[in-house]
């Protein structure tokens, strides 16, 4: 993390009362210990040597900061205010002001390595592998800020199941968009009211269009859709590049591993919200950036037939609008 961001974050925690200076450590040193674990995946032994504190002291203040981070996340990870105008449009202005004017963000899941006791590992071994993961579902806006997150699901949990149970459980307080809004999602989720998915059995991923441009109406829609939805993959890319703990998890108990993911997302939003000078965001702001992704999966319908029909018709309308716009552009070019 850049020095400017560290100073502002420490001051923010001090001002809000999320952390207090103690007899032996000030807020800034507590924050530095915590961030070294998340950003550099530092061990307790390394931090003991670096800060000249006992392992017990290091562990105590790490967990103290993590508790503050959970409170901090409620301030930083907040859903959109539907009745307020959207923020500045940085990417694909023509698509977002035109065909996809109802899109308010992108939804997807990602796998984070997890350390699980041997007798409980099977549900966390995602897609038949030997490694254990927790499945994290998140929503982000088009400025790469996270709006909602659910962490701690087993690696084998289906993306559509996580969404379905999160929407149905009032304890999660899922930010369901109003009738004229929707999230962009891939084919792992049901194409239904509030969730705009691509056409299936049609080219979709950005890499599919590198050598051969979109031809049919469905391909043109899918290409436009993935160019916008790619923001969630780039947001995950920034997150994992900044916090190495998300690439190789330390053997904390699982609730701590889950909370660390949420803390990383809250810090991510803090840096983005206050437009701090940062070396990582510019690297991932290229909207056609092709990133490694988790294997796509299919799902069964989870919403009503009426909801699904509404979104099918809306998707066809957008696809027709994209084709019409392209034809008009070709006519003007010929003129």
């Amino acid at each position: 993390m850049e020095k400017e961001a560290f100073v502002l974050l420490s001051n923010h925690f001090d001002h809000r009362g999320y952390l207090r200076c103690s007899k032996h450590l000030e807020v800034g040193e507590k924050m530095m210990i915590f961030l070294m674990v998340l950003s550099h995946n530092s061990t307790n032994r390394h931090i003991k040597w670096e800060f000249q504190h006992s392992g017990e002291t290091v562990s105590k203040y790490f967990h103290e900061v993590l508790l503050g981070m959970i409170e901090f996340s409620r301030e930083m990870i907040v859903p959109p205010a539907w009745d307020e105008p959207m923020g500045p449009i940085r990417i694909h202005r023509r698509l977002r002001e035109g065909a996809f004017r109802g899109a308010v963000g992108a939804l997807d899941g990602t796998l984070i390595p997890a350390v699980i006791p041997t007798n409980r590992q099977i549900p966390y071994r995602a897609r038949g592998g030997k490694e254990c993961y927790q499945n994290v579902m998140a929503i982000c806006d088009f400025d790469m800020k996270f709006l909602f997150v659910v962490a701690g699901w087993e690696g084998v949990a289906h993306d559509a199941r996580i969404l379905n149970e999160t929407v149905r459980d009032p304890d999660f307080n899922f930010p369901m968009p109003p009738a004229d809004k929707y999230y962009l999602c891939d084919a792992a989720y049901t194409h239904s009211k509030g969730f705009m998915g691509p056409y299936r059995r049609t080219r979709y991923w950005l890499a599919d269009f590198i050598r051969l441009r979109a031809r049919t109406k469905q391909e043109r829609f899918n290409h436009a859709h993935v160019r916008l939805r790619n923001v969630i993959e780039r947001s995950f890319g920034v997150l994992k590049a900044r916090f190495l703990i998300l690439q190789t998890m330390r053997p904390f108990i699982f609730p701590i591993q889950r909370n660390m993911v949420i803390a990383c997302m809250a810090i991510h939003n803090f840096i983005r919200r206050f437009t701090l000078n940062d070396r990582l965001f510019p690297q991932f702001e290229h909207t056609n950036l092709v990133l490694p992704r988790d294997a796509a999966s299919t799902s069964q319908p989870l919403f009503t037939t009426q909801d699904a029909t509404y979104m099918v018709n809306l998707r066809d309308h957008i696809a027709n609008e994209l084709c019409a716009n392209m034809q008009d552009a070709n006519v003007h070019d010929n003129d």
Side-chain angles (χ1 to χ4, degrees), residues 2 32 48 58 70 104 115 127 134 142 164 176 187-188 215 217 228 238 243 258-259 278 284 296 309 322 326:
E2 304 295 335
M32 180 62 74
K48 281 168 53 180
V58 168
I70 298 305
V104 291
V115 179
R127 300 178 176 91
Q134 62 165 305
F142 294 105
N164 185 48
M176 182 64 73
R215 297 178 180 177
K217 176 181 76 172
L228 280 175
V238 173
F243 300 107
R258 177 198 61 215
N259 289 345
D278 183 72
F284 287 83
T309 301
L322 288 169
M326 182 171 291

Side-chain angles (χ1 to χ4, degrees), residues 77-143:
I77 306 175
V78 293
W82 308 116
D83 56 345
E84 295 181 4
M86 297 177 63
I89 299 177
R90 298 194 187 193
I91 65 168
H92 300 306
R93 177 182 295 272
R94 184 176 300 176
L95 287 175
R96 291 186 53 209
E97 290 183 341
F100 289 93
R101 51 190 167 272
V104 291
L107 178 149
D108 203 0
T110 190
L111 297 177
I112 303 294
V115 179
I116 305 296
T118 304
N119 61 344
R120 296 176 49 212
Q121 286 186 355
I122 292 178
Y124 293 88
R125 291 178 182 170
R127 300 178 176 91
K130 295 182 180 180
E131 302 298 324
C132 293
Y133 297 91
Q134 62 165 305
N135 201 332
V136 177
M137 185 187 75
I139 300 170
C140 76
D141 63 16
F142 294 105
D143 192 33

Side-chain angles (χ1 to χ4, degrees), residues 170-228:
D171 289 340
F172 286 110
N173 197 24
F174 183 85
M176 182 64 73
D180 59 336
K181 307 292 183 183
Y182 51 83
Y183 301 119
L184 300 177
C185 55
D186 65 22
Y189 302 93
T190 302
H191 178 76
S192 188
K193 197 72 170 286
F195 305 93
M196 174 72 72
Y199 287 99
R200 297 192 180 188
R201 294 178 292 277
T202 303
R203 284 191 298 155
Y204 177 64
W205 302 103
L206 280 175
D208 297 336
F209 297 98
I210 291 177
R211 294 186 178 180
L212 186 63
R213 63 184 299 178
R215 297 178 180 177
T216 66
K217 176 181 76 172
Q218 289 79 8
E219 287 185 352
R220 288 173 180 169
F221 173 89
N222 280 8
H223 189 204
H225 182 284
V226 74
R227 286 167 63 199
L228 280 175

Side-chain angles (χ1 to χ4, degrees), residues 38 56 127 148 150-151 153 158 178 250 263 265 282-283 285 328:
L38 267 59
E56 182 180 357
R127 300 178 176 91
F148 181 80
V150 174
W153 282 83
H158 195 287
R250 291 284 170 190
M265 290 184 164
Q283 296 177 25
E285 283 184 335
D328 291 341

Side-chain angles (χ1 to χ4, degrees), residues 157-174:
H158 195 287
D159 290 343
R161 175 195 163 200
I162 296 173
L163 174 61
N164 185 48
E165 296 195 18
T166 301
V167 170
R168 290 178 176 175
D169 189 338
D171 289 340
F172 286 110
N173 197 24
F174 183 85

Side-chain angles (χ1 to χ4, degrees), residues 4-6 8 270-278 281:
E4 179 189 9
F6 168 74
L8 283 177
F270 180 84
I271 295 172
R272 190 62 165 173
R273 178 182 293 186
F274 292 99
T275 60
L276 303 174
N277 293 326
D278 183 72
F281 278 112

